[in-house]
Amino acid sequence: MKVKPENYIAIELLSRSANEAFARTAVAAFAAQLDPTLDELGDIRTAVSEAVTNAIVHAYPDALGKISLRASVFDGNMLEIVVRDWGCGIADVEKAREPLYTTGGEERSGMGFTIMESFMDSLAVRSKPGRGTVITMKRRIAQRGGRR
């Protein structure tokens, strides 16, 4: 049985670099309902920025494409963020998740997945070459006294 979220947003973006800032700001604004600390918000913004930037740079290297972003709140202050593209996909997900591995040239650090993983409680990456990639990140927001 699939658990339904208490609340969610869904956004569709064109793979333009200008939309990365909008994506991270929108998710941070949505996450604010959980009353996160500034550090938690910063972590969320950074992870979303990395996921969306990966889609912009790697999924659609030679053309513009569609990126979908869904943020959901589940019982227990769990925030789930799903970033999906329909781009070129990742041939070897395990290799792509290795620190310093990149297909984006010298100007890319190859730390995107490592950063996402370090700022979130969990990170799942599904991809099929020629069909796109789905990144699912989860972060439980600490319950503080006086909240809710």
Side-chain angles (χ1 to χ4, degrees):
M1 179 171 95
K2 190 168 182 157
V3 178
K4 289 189 175 189
E6 294 178 358
N7 196 10
Y8 74 91
I9 60 168
I11 302 169
E12 189 173 288
L13 310 163
L14 193 56
S15 63
R16 292 192 183 278
S17 59
N19 289 333
E20 176 272 327
F22 172 77
R24 70 179 141 88
T25 301
V27 173
F30 177 76
Q33 68 189 287
L34 297 173
D35 195 23
T37 64
L38 289 176
D39 285 342
E40 289 169 328
L41 262 184
D43 292 352
I44 292 164
R45 289 172 58 95
T46 300
V48 169
S49 178
E50 291 294 333
V52 172
T53 297
N54 272 1
I56 292 167
V57 171
H58 300 290
Y60 305 106
D62 300 317
L64 293 175
K66 180 173 71 169
I67 299 169
S68 76
L69 173 66
R70 182 177 173 105
S72 305
V73 171
F74 292 90
D75 188 41
N77 276 11
M78 179 62 73
L79 177 67
E80 179 184 77
I81 302 158
V82 179
V83 178
R84 180 177 185 178
D85 68 67
W86 289 263
C88 64
I90 302 169
D92 186 342
V93 171
E94 291 308 310
K95 183 74 174 166
R97 289 185 71 163
E98 290 178 9
L100 306 178
Y101 177 81
T102 185
T103 59
E106 290 179 13
E107 70 279 357
R108 299 289 164 195
S109 70
M111 294 298 290
F113 286 129
T114 302
I115 291 168
M116 285 180 250
E117 196 164 34
S118 69
F119 286 121
M120 303 303 280
D121 294 332
S122 69
L123 172 70
V125 181
R126 291 188 341 239
S127 190
K128 290 187 179 180
R131 307 273 318 259
T133 301
V134 179
I135 297 172
T136 303
M137 303 179 284
K138 294 182 182 179
R139 173 78 183 252
R140 186 171 309 280
I141 303 302
Q143 185 80 33
R144 295 192 315 264
R147 244 192 335 198
R148 285 202 195 190

